[in-house]
Amino acid sequence: MKAAIIGGGPSGLFLAILLKQRQPAAEVTVYEQNRADATFGFGVVMADKGLDRLRDASPEVFDALTGAMRFSDRQVIVSNETPITVQRPGSGGAIPRIELLRILGVHARRLGVDVRYEQRIEDFLALDADVVVGADGINSRLRDNDEVAFDVQRHSLTNHFAWYGVEKAFPHPSLVFRKHGAGYFVAHYYPYSASMSTFVAECDHRSWQDLAMEQMSADERQHLFEQVFAPELDGQALVSNHSNWRQFPVIRARNWHVGNRVLIGDALSSAHFSIGSGTRIAMEDAIALADALNASPDNIPQALDDYRRRRQPQKQKLIGASEASFNWYERIRDWMDQYGPHEFVFRFMTRTGRVDVGRLREQYPALVRDFEAAGLIPAECEGQP
């Protein structure tokens, strides 16, 4: 089998590894348009469930990645200047994105994957491959090159956001919801090394308009958020790395594959950053596609059909949670005005519909006791009100 993978990000490299592990004779080539040492963004989060699936698929890769991760078993949520600590049932990990890519690249090349950097493919149909995989992210050129055939639907959310870093390792992942002047702001931040954290800055569209942020320079927007979140930054400046302000694009390809071309990760369905599972979803797509291709290497159409049929139900659950989450964030001004600290956290925890009161009781007992004390749920309640 000959496989051409477009995109040398986590899902593309992991797919290449899984194919070569089971099919050593397969010719697997990864085409990445950027340099080997180029990376955009800062740290990547992987939750415990995603790590479990990664371990099952490739124990060696799992060991290498977790050895480089920084783990945390709690999150702090701040609203109305009141911090509430959420003790998690498991430990999620964060890793520098560039280290994640380095580790995956080492494993891929060791297995004989041909990883080609600074290679921008213009004609996907001309590639000498039995299967061509679009692992090239939210701005997928493979998908957009044949948008009609993939039946792509898209729209943009209204909130505005940008990814920054900060030279400070916060003690725990945190979310801070803050009113400041005429603006409603959110900071999502988490440590990913001994000295660095990712810091996602967000505001609603009305704040963007009221504060004339469209007319601000990039430096002025960065300085504004440094002022808003000065208590958390503690004198540290935000670090920019292609930290462009934008509105999140919701992209859905209804057709998972066209001919021998197939999509995974954000190229197929963009996952909103508020659920912290974009890398997990993409790498689980890679696992599902590798399983299908490894089971039917001589029947690519059958393999691609099996991939969609087997992966789609679970993928849709995760994407559905992403949609419920971003719809909640789109109304963040309402929730910040309406709810006190404990009710805000309760509504936040149950926003996707995947967590009800029963699951809260099972996985977050200390938090439930706080909710009961605040009168949000009765002590005898078994289901979500």
Side-chain angles (χ1 to χ4, degrees):
M1 184 185 71
K2 292 183 179 180
I5 300 172
I6 312 302
S11 63
L13 289 171
F14 195 47
L15 172 62
I17 290 167
L18 297 178
L19 291 177
K20 288 294 283 186
Q21 282 180 341
R22 287 277 301 275
Q23 300 185 62
E27 296 180 28
V28 181
T29 305
V30 175
Y31 299 93
E32 169 55 49
Q33 66 180 355
N34 295 306
R35 302 188 320 271
D37 60 350
T39 186
F40 305 104
F42 295 91
V44 174
V45 170
M46 295 195 70
D48 50 346
K49 290 184 179 179
L51 288 172
D52 288 345
R53 292 185 176 91
L54 190 152
R55 178 184 55 208
D56 293 341
S58 181
E60 288 186 0
V61 171
F62 169 84
D63 288 341
L65 292 180
T66 54
M69 284 184 172
R70 187 180 180 93
F71 288 89
S72 177
D73 64 353
R74 66 198 63 193
Q75 179 183 41
V76 178
I77 302 173
V78 180
S79 67
N80 289 290
E81 303 305 321
T82 303
I84 295 177
T85 299
V86 178
Q87 183 76 36
R88 294 170 170 171
S91 294
I95 184 173
R97 179 176 171 83
I98 196 166
E99 180 65 6
L100 169 61
L101 296 179
R102 187 196 67 78
I103 291 171
L104 292 175
V106 167
H107 280 267
R109 287 187 292 272
R110 184 180 300 154
L111 290 167
V113 175
D114 183 5
V115 184
R116 303 183 185 182
Y117 294 99
E118 299 182 76
Q119 294 284 313
R120 182 179 175 91
I121 304 302
E122 300 295 343
D123 187 350
F124 302 104
L125 296 177
L127 287 169
D128 180 20
D130 300 308
V131 60
V132 180
V133 182
D136 47 348
I138 204 165
N139 297 313
S140 171
R141 294 180 61 251
L142 182 102
R143 178 199 64 223
D144 293 347
N145 191 62
D146 204 351
E147 189 167 333
V148 173
F150 281 110
D151 194 5
V152 178
Q153 312 296 313
R154 64 178 77 215
H155 70 276
S156 293
L157 302 182
T158 64
N159 284 5
H160 299 257
F161 72 98
W163 289 74
Y164 295 100
V166 58
E167 293 182 352
K168 173 183 179 179
F170 291 100
H172 304 290
S174 299
L175 278 164
V176 181
F177 300 85
R178 178 165 291 149
K179 302 177 192 177
H180 183 90
Y184 286 62
F185 302 95
V186 187
H188 317 235
Y189 57 83
Y190 52 88
Y192 64 84
S193 75
S195 60
M196 288 292 296
S197 297
T198 294
F199 190 103
V200 186
E202 183 176 4
C203 68
D204 71 346
H205 186 59
R206 182 171 165 186
S207 298
W208 183 269
Q209 292 177 315
D210 290 348
L211 297 173
M213 291 181 67
E214 185 69 37
Q215 287 72 50
M216 291 182 185
S217 67
D219 287 345
E220 287 171 333
R221 292 177 193 142
Q222 179 174 323
H223 183 60
L224 171 61
F225 273 79
E226 289 168 348
Q227 290 180 315
V228 173
F229 296 103
E232 289 74 28
L233 292 171
D234 193 26
Q236 292 290 334
L238 295 176
V239 179
S240 178
N241 177 13
H242 299 274
S243 302
N244 299 318
W245 281 88
R246 56 202 186 277
Q247 292 166 297
F248 187 82
V250 180
I251 299 174
R252 305 286 182 261
R254 292 182 177 176
N255 294 328
W256 288 39
H257 56 90
V258 174
N260 72 336
R261 292 163 291 155
V262 60
L263 303 175
I264 63 175
D266 280 342
L268 175 62
S269 303
S270 57
H272 193 254
F273 56 86
S274 64
I275 63 168
S277 297
T279 301
R280 167 199 171 181
I281 293 171
M283 294 182 79
E284 288 181 1
D285 284 356
I287 293 170
L289 180 55
D291 286 346
L293 290 169
N294 288 332
S296 303
D298 299 321
N299 190 343
I300 299 301
Q302 180 64 51
L304 299 186
D305 282 341
D306 287 345
Y307 159 61
R308 178 195 55 77
R309 177 174 53 82
R310 293 174 182 173
R311 175 61 176 155
Q312 191 170 35
Q314 180 60 25
K315 170 103 172 180
Q316 189 50 50
K317 288 180 182 179
L318 295 170
I319 292 300
S322 170
E323 292 176 353
S325 183
F326 69 57
N327 284 328
W328 190 87
Y329 270 88
E330 288 284 273
R331 295 187 59 191
I332 194 62
R333 176 180 294 258
D334 294 339
W335 312 142
M336 290 171 69
D337 284 342
Q338 184 174 343
Y339 300 135
H342 280 91
E343 185 168 6
F344 186 93
V345 173
F346 174 74
R347 300 295 178 179
F348 173 83
M349 295 292 293
T350 57
R351 71 193 186 284
T352 68
R354 290 172 61 82
V355 176
D356 59 13
V357 171
R359 186 170 170 184
L360 282 174
R361 289 186 185 281
E362 178 184 350
Q363 297 185 345
Y364 304 91
L367 189 62
V368 166
R369 288 193 291 271
D370 289 342
F371 292 156
E372 291 172 345
L376 295 173
I377 55 175
E380 69 276 8
C381 180
E382 295 295 334
Q384 185 170 353

